[in-house]
């Protein structure tokens, strides 16, 4: 990736939206983009405001001298900031990796190589840290990411169907276990990243949005296409404990809402433990319905 210097604007104008916990830092250099911060909680919002107040006070003498930015071109500022969030290339050999990690990297290298050159990198920055990638590159990167996601999902489903036929596992069992876990991995990763960055609402909304899309589009769109091509009806759906799955999903949703109302929309660790335990019980029940 392109090396660039860290530039620290000396903010002197800050706009605050307490209701939505939004902080806008007006860039002191005209023409440059402002910084907008969204706090995931009121406590973090207050802490950031206190830190910004100290920052504005500490840099007031520099602003009085007409300085608007501090550029870390010689590394005189924080080394941690200069090395923050390094971009690792897909084809870059892993450093300090274990033998299993290296073996996995070698096994997946052909796929990594294809993805590296088919996915445009939008993380290109100039010397001042400004994004240099065009909007066209961003669109292409989004389209290619979705293409790889679709290809991976299709390959996984076809492989699981073949595996189920070989070892004699019913499709319903494969669907609620490996297939469900595999197709939900993108949503899990997106929610985990959002939660790690403090955006709990975004993590929860991503899960519900993904499942809503699966039900209304993932089920509805194929049925619409099939019915349009086959006299407007579909009669080959087998009732392999679908009703139980629907009731389980509805019950989990009601339980989640009840827990949120009880705690004032605060997610606790025992909530997570409870839902993991319920999922294990659901999988065990689904498998037992078939084999017992």
């Amino acid at each position: 990736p392109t090396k660039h210097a860290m530039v620290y604007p000396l903010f002197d104008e800050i706009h605050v939206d307490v209701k939505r916990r939004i902080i806008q830092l007006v860039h002191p250099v005209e023409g440059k983009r402002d910084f907008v911060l969204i706090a995931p909680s009121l406590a973090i919002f207050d802490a950031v405001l206190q830190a910004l107040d100290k920052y504005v006070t500490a840099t007031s003498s520099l602003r009085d001298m007409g300085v608007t930015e501090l550029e870390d071109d010689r590394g005189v500022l924080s080394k941690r900031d200069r090395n923050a969030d390094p971009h690792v290339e897909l084809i870059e050999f892993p450093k300090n990796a274990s033998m299993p990690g290296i073996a996995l990297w070698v096994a997946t290298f052909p796929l990594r190589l294809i993805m590296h050159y088919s996915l445009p990198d939008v993380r290109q920055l100039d010397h001042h840290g400004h994004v240099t990638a065009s909007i066209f590159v961003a669109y292409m990167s989004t389209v290619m990411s979705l293409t790889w996601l679709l290809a991976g999902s299709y390959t996984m489903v076809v492989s699981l169907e073949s595996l189920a036929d070989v070892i004699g596992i019913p499709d319903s069992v494969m669907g609620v276990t490996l297939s469900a876990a595999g197709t939900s991995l993108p949503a899990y990763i997106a929610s985990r990243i959002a939660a790690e960055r403090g955006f709990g609402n975004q993590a929860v909304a991503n899960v519900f949005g993904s499942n809503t899309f699966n039900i209304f589009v993932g089920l509805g769109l194929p049925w619409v296409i099939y019915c349009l091509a086959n006299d407007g009806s579909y009669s080959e759906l087998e009732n392999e404990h679908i009703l139980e799955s629907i009731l389980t999903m509805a019950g989990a949703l009601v339980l989640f809402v009840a827990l949120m109302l009880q705690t004032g929309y605060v997610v606790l660790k025992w909530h997570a433990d409870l839902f993991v335990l319920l999922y294990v019980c659901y999988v065990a029940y689904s498998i037992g319905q078939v084999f017992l």
Side-chain angles (χ1 to χ4, degrees):
T2 304
K3 298 295 183 181
H4 59 277
M6 295 294 295
V7 177
Y8 298 82
L10 303 182
F11 302 107
D12 60 353
E13 184 178 352
I14 301 175
H15 300 161
V16 177
D17 186 339
V18 179
K19 183 178 180 181
R20 294 185 292 176
R21 298 195 294 270
I22 297 177
I23 303 173
Q24 179 184 5
L25 306 176
V26 179
H27 204 292
V29 179
E30 186 177 357
K32 290 192 175 182
R33 290 179 296 179
D34 298 338
F35 292 78
V36 178
L37 310 178
I38 304 177
S41 67
L42 185 58
I44 295 178
F45 179 77
D46 293 335
V48 171
L49 285 181
Q50 293 177 10
L52 287 173
D53 181 64
K54 295 180 180 179
Y55 175 78
V56 172
T57 302
T59 57
S60 60
S61 59
L62 293 174
R63 292 196 306 275
D64 294 340
M65 297 169 55
V67 180
T68 57
E69 292 180 319
L70 291 179
E71 185 170 327
D72 189 21
D73 55 349
R74 297 185 180 181
V76 297
L77 299 175
S78 172
K79 182 179 180 180
R80 181 196 63 183
D81 290 342
R82 288 187 287 112
N83 295 330
D85 193 22
H87 296 154
V88 180
E89 302 289 348
L90 282 174
I91 58 176
E92 181 177 338
F93 190 81
K95 298 179 181 179
N96 302 322
S98 61
M99 289 303 297
I102 295 177
L104 179 62
W105 182 88
V106 173
T108 58
F109 180 76
L111 181 61
R112 289 172 174 270
L113 185 65
I114 298 174
M115 294 181 67
H116 175 76
Y117 287 105
S118 62
L119 289 170
D121 193 348
V122 298
R123 303 171 300 180
Q124 302 300 324
L125 306 176
D126 60 16
H127 179 70
H128 296 286
H130 300 151
V131 178
T132 59
S134 64
I135 189 65
F136 174 77
V137 174
Y139 279 128
M140 286 299 300
S141 181
T142 302
V143 170
M144 290 307 301
S145 297
L146 291 174
T147 301
W148 275 106
L149 183 61
L150 292 173
S153 299
Y154 177 78
T155 303
M156 185 200 67
V157 171
V158 172
S159 300
L160 289 177
E161 289 179 350
S162 301
L163 179 62
D165 291 338
V166 170
I167 61 181
I169 297 179
D171 292 339
S172 58
V173 174
M174 191 65 73
V176 301
T177 54
L178 296 179
S179 180
T183 53
S184 298
L185 278 177
Y188 159 74
I189 294 175
S191 295
R192 190 190 71 176
I193 293 175
E196 288 176 347
R197 295 181 177 179
F199 297 101
N201 289 342
Q202 181 179 341
V204 175
N206 178 70
V207 173
F208 283 106
S210 176
N211 283 277
T212 302
F213 181 88
N214 290 339
I215 295 173
F216 290 121
V217 179
L219 290 178
L221 184 60
W223 282 352
V224 168
I225 296 176
Y226 182 92
C227 292
L228 290 176
N230 294 274
D231 300 328
S233 64
Y234 178 73
S235 59
E236 299 179 9
L237 181 63
E238 297 181 6
N239 184 15
E240 295 181 340
H241 308 290
I242 292 179
L243 179 59
E244 290 88 339
S245 298
I246 295 175
L247 293 177
T248 301
M249 181 174 60
L253 178 60
V254 171
L255 176 61
F256 177 80
V257 173
L259 291 174
M260 292 301 97
L261 292 176
Q262 179 189 17
T263 60
Y265 295 93
V266 176
V267 180
L268 304 177
K269 183 179 182 300
W270 71 267
H271 294 165
D273 296 335
L274 175 63
F275 277 100
V276 171
L277 177 61
L278 290 176
Y279 177 73
V280 172
C281 294
Y282 168 70
V283 172
Y285 172 78
S286 299
I287 296 175
Q289 286 287 95
V290 175
F291 292 103
L292 298 181

